[in-house]
Amino acid sequence: MIIAIVTFNIDSKLTDAVLKDKFLETSPLYRDVPGLIRKNYISNTSKNLAGGVYCFDNMENAKGWFDEARIDWITDRFSKPDIKYFENPVIVDNKADEIIKTTN
């Protein structure tokens, strides 16, 4: 699995409540993204920072989602994003009481 961590600067006037509404507004876009397992929205309004943590099934789907058009969309909506990709070889899932090995 691949984890993509995306961060971007946000307007200092955005409150937590307004940002949450913006996130809820866009959340349906992620229902049918190829290979996307989960997206967590993240924010720290005191530092004017927000973004998302995405879990994808593979790098091709992760990078396919963050194409030039997607980066332009994020940039227009907030600011230019910083995107970092990571392999996710092990997951600790306390809710399911499991430790999952995701790669060979």
Side-chain angles (χ1 to χ4, degrees):
M1 280 198 273
I2 300 298
I3 301 296
I5 299 176
V6 179
T7 56
F8 45 81
N9 293 317
I10 58 173
D11 189 309
S12 61
K13 296 174 189 155
L14 281 176
T15 64
D16 288 326
V18 170
L19 191 57
K20 182 177 180 179
D21 286 343
K22 285 182 165 292
F23 289 165
L24 286 169
E25 175 187 307
T26 61
S27 60
L29 298 172
Y30 300 94
R31 296 300 299 246
D32 297 316
V33 173
L36 181 65
I37 297 165
R38 170 175 279 153
K39 176 186 178 178
N40 293 42
Y41 289 87
I42 57 175
S43 66
N44 185 336
T45 52
S46 68
K47 293 188 177 183
N48 304 325
L49 197 60
V53 178
Y54 301 73
C55 180
F56 282 93
D57 59 353
N58 62 52
M59 186 65 80
E60 180 181 356
N61 283 328
K63 289 193 173 184
W65 176 249
F66 292 108
D67 61 8
E68 187 175 328
R70 178 73 41 208
I71 291 169
D72 289 345
W73 182 81
I74 296 169
T75 302
D76 290 344
R77 191 165 171 85
F78 295 104
S79 65
K80 186 167 177 62
D82 177 49
I83 304 171
K84 293 185 173 75
Y85 298 96
F86 300 88
E87 292 288 336
N88 181 203
V90 177
I91 298 169
V92 176
D93 186 334
N94 288 330
K95 189 171 185 176
D97 194 27
E98 292 182 307
I99 295 176
I100 304 162
K101 180 181 171 188
T102 63
T103 59
N104 295 333

